[in-house]
């Protein structure tokens, strides 16, 4: 069974451009989470999608947005890129959001570099 | 506000040594606690998940314990190997999307 897949693996953009990152959850998982991991910092929660809806977002500006498609895959868009957006972006999925026994399964991440 | 702290931030041990990584959290109202491993520039690999009603979980050379009342969890690694070198993260699930991560402990096992 395939795990969480993310694409692209690496993405290089210049300041002011837009970046689109993609994530496919494990088959059967309906919840998708996005995290940002900047160099030397911990994982910061970005967005949570469940059943096609944005359920919550972390403390990030509106230029960070996304969506979840009917097949539960997800897209993260970052507009007007800034240098400090350079980070590893990790996507995770879980079967549901509410169960006490839900494990988070992570993809390998997209390394975004803003020049 | 839930805060998760991991001590030590970094640890270097010789191969074969048993070691303990620590994780503490400020709010005992948790659903579960999960330990992850992260290799440099890579995603996270789930190691163990302990439900709030459980005291410990074991997988191979790994044993994780949970003491909710004191807000602590430990990850015990037996007979460490160079391949165990990685950053170990603990994450506390307080319900729904609210999984709060510690900053991690960077482990280096010397051959």
């Amino acid at each position: 069974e395939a795990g969480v897949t993310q694409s692209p693996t690496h993405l290089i953009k210049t300041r002011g451009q837009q970046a689109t990152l993609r994530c496919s959850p494990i088959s059967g998982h309906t919840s998708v989470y996005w995290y940002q991991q900047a160099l030397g910092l911990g994982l910061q929660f970005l967005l949570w999608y469940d059943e096609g809806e944005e359920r919550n977002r972390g403390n990030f500006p509106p230029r960070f947005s996304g969506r979840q498609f009917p097949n539960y895959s997800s897209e993260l868009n970052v507009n007007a890129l800034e240098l400090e957006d350079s980070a590893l972006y990790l996507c995770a999925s879980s079967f549901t959001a509410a169960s006490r026994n839900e494990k988070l399964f992570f993809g390998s991440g997209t390394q975004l570099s803003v020049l | 506000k839930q805060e998760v702290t991991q001590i030590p931030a970094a640890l270097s041990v010789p191969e074969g040594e048993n070691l303990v990584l620590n994780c503490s959290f400020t709010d005992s109202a948790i659903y579960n606690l999960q330990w992850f491993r992260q290799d440099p520039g890579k995603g996270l690999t789930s190691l163990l998940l302990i439900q709030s009603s459980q005291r410990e979980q074991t997988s191979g050379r790994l044993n994780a314990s949970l003491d909710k009342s004191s807000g602590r969890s430990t990850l015990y690694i037996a007979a460490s190997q160079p391949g165990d070198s990685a950053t170990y993260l603990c994450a506390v699930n307080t319900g729904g999307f609210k999984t709060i991560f510690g900053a991690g402990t960077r482990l280096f096992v010397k051959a």
Side-chain angles (χ1 to χ4, degrees):
Chain A
E1 180 182 314
V4 178
T5 58
Q6 291 187 246
S7 63
T9 304
H10 294 89
L11 189 58
I12 300 175
K13 294 285 185 178
T14 56
R15 196 169 48 183
Q17 285 188 314
Q18 178 195 33
T20 299
L21 289 65
R22 296 179 177 82
C23 172
S24 292
I26 291 174
S27 178
H29 285 192
T30 63
S31 273
V32 171
Y33 312 79
W34 287 95
Y35 287 86
Q36 181 196 66
Q37 188 177 36
L39 192 63
L41 299 179
L43 273 78
Q44 302 296 317
F45 167 72
L46 263 168
L47 290 159
W48 168 39
Y49 292 95
D50 186 59
E51 297 284 359
E53 299 286 332
E54 180 180 306
R55 300 298 182 182
N56 218 308
R57 64 183 294 126
N59 189 26
F60 281 84
R63 56 191 187 82
F64 287 85
S65 65
R67 54 181 171 167
Q68 186 177 34
F69 299 99
N71 66 354
Y72 304 114
S73 66
S74 178
E75 198 174 83
L76 174 68
N77 295 294
V78 188
N79 294 319
L81 285 165
E82 300 179 1
L83 297 178
E84 53 264 36
D85 297 334
S86 295
L88 180 66
Y89 289 83
L90 293 166
C91 171
S93 75
S94 65
F95 184 64
T96 69
S99 167
R100 292 173 183 266
N101 198 27
E102 283 304 321
K103 280 187 178 181
L104 282 181
F105 294 86
F106 280 82
S108 298
T110 293
Q111 184 66 55
L112 173 63
S113 299
V114 182
L115 307 178
Chain B
K1 177 186 173 186
Q2 178 74 268
E3 294 183 358
V4 181
T5 304
Q6 291 187 247
I7 295 173
L11 182 62
S12 180
V13 300
E15 182 177 7
E17 190 163 300
N18 301 326
L19 59 100
V20 175
L21 306 181
N22 297 292
C23 172
S24 62
F25 47 95
T26 54
D27 187 344
S28 63
I30 66 171
Y31 275 10
N32 61 55
L33 184 146
Q34 197 166 356
W35 282 93
F36 293 89
R37 168 191 171 132
Q38 185 177 30
D39 293 289
K42 301 295 185 183
L44 279 65
T45 300
S46 178
L47 298 173
L48 291 163
L49 179 145
I50 311 176
Q51 297 181 56
S52 61
S53 59
Q54 298 176 323
R55 296 283 293 182
E56 66 178 328
Q57 282 287 324
T58 297
S59 176
R61 295 183 292 110
L62 305 179
N63 176 276
S65 68
L66 175 64
D67 183 343
K68 262 199 341 175
S69 60
S70 66
R72 292 180 183 178
S73 176
T74 62
L75 178 66
Y76 175 82
I77 303 177
S80 58
Q81 303 169 357
D84 294 331
S85 298
T87 297
Y88 290 81
L89 298 155
C90 77
V92 170
N93 183 348
T94 58
F97 73 99
K98 292 184 179 179
T99 297
I100 310 299
F101 285 81
T105 293
R106 187 178 300 177
L107 174 65
F108 180 64
V109 181
K110 297 171 287 187

